[in-house]
Amino acid sequence: MEKENKKKIEEKPIFIAPINLKTMSFKIKGTSPLLMDKFPDEVKKQITEKQMGVSKTKKKNRDIDKEVEEAIHKTQDGKIGFPSIGFKAGLIESTSFIGDKFFSKKLLRGIQIVNSTDGLVPIQFKKQDILEHSIQSNTKYSPQFHDWECVLTIQFDENNISKEDLANLINYAGFYYGVGIWSPKCKSGGNYGMYKLG
């Protein structure tokens, strides 16, 4: 027989708090011009054809206007926007600047930007023109948007992150990461595509 005074293992109940989803909209305003560089469908087609062994087509004359137009992100109904994944990546990466080991990238992976259409967040802008710049020995023409702004409607778990946290992270993401080409996230540390809470 086992001794009656044998210690009993104390059973502790496990409690998992239910997920607490909230949705909030944040208006952001660009603090520097936004440069877009969507990968052209024509180039995708050429790459696919090359992989399939299709013979090369004759090289066409360069059409600058077409290049610029194809570099703009547009929804199926023709509205200009920017990929929501770009804004989300900025929020996730900006946790590196917080300085709190418990506030990690994992807490941000579940957030969703729910106001995108065809994966794009609609943007408004006051002026659009073209920036001519060089990449190695090639001249590139990129669509440039001035005084741009948009709204990010974000769904998040309030158990792990507050609306104040998100607001602060948006400012960090806009300053240290940005969106589009030649933004702070680039290796060379550009200054395009920067933004802040509007």
Side-chain angles (χ1 to χ4, degrees):
M1 287 183 67
E2 294 182 3
K3 294 182 179 180
E4 293 182 3
N5 62 350
K6 186 177 181 180
K7 291 182 180 179
K8 291 183 178 180
I9 298 174
E10 186 178 346
E11 294 183 2
K12 293 183 180 180
I14 298 173
F15 175 74
I16 300 176
I19 195 166
N20 185 20
L21 294 179
K22 300 289 182 182
T23 302
M24 188 170 182
S25 294
F26 301 87
K27 184 177 180 179
I28 69 170
K29 187 175 181 64
T31 57
S32 62
L34 169 62
L35 297 178
M36 289 194 188
D37 189 27
K38 178 192 171 191
F39 199 63
D41 293 333
E42 183 66 27
V43 176
K44 290 179 186 177
K45 182 182 175 184
Q46 290 173 2
I47 292 173
T48 302
E49 288 177 348
K50 185 177 180 180
Q51 291 172 342
M52 294 175 67
V54 178
S55 58
K56 290 183 179 179
T57 55
K58 242 185 177 182
K59 193 171 182 180
K60 299 177 183 177
N61 292 330
R62 190 170 184 182
D63 187 339
I64 303 301
D65 291 337
K66 185 179 179 183
E67 284 182 25
V68 172
E69 188 64 24
E70 289 184 342
I72 300 173
H73 295 281
K74 290 184 179 179
T75 61
Q76 291 183 359
D77 59 0
K79 293 180 180 177
I80 295 176
F82 195 85
S84 59
I85 193 170
F87 291 105
K88 180 175 178 177
L91 290 169
I92 292 173
E93 293 301 321
S94 292
T95 58
S96 304
F97 303 101
I98 304 304
D100 185 341
K101 65 179 180 179
F102 296 109
F103 197 85
S104 67
K105 294 179 181 180
K106 291 181 181 179
L107 295 181
L108 273 294
R109 294 198 189 280
I111 66 168
Q112 300 297 324
I113 298 174
V114 296
N115 65 319
S116 62
T117 302
D118 300 327
L120 304 178
V121 175
I123 68 166
Q124 290 78 43
F125 52 91
K126 291 183 179 179
K127 179 185 174 184
Q128 177 187 346
D129 57 19
I130 300 170
L131 178 71
E132 180 181 340
H133 54 108
S134 297
I135 297 180
Q136 294 178 346
S137 60
N138 296 320
T139 300
K140 190 171 182 63
Y141 301 88
S142 300
Q144 180 172 218
F145 300 88
H146 302 267
D147 298 318
W148 62 279
E149 59 184 38
C150 68
V151 173
L152 300 179
T153 302
I154 302 175
Q155 186 181 65
F156 59 100
D157 180 9
E158 203 172 35
N159 288 339
N160 288 318
I161 185 170
S162 69
K163 59 184 181 182
E164 291 80 13
D165 290 333
L166 277 176
N168 288 328
L169 275 174
I170 286 172
N171 281 330
Y172 273 92
F175 184 80
Y176 286 105
Y177 201 79
V179 287
I181 58 173
W182 301 124
S183 60
K185 70 177 182 288
C186 300
K187 287 182 180 180
S188 57
N191 59 359
Y192 287 87
M194 297 173 71
Y195 57 87
K196 65 178 180 179
L197 281 175

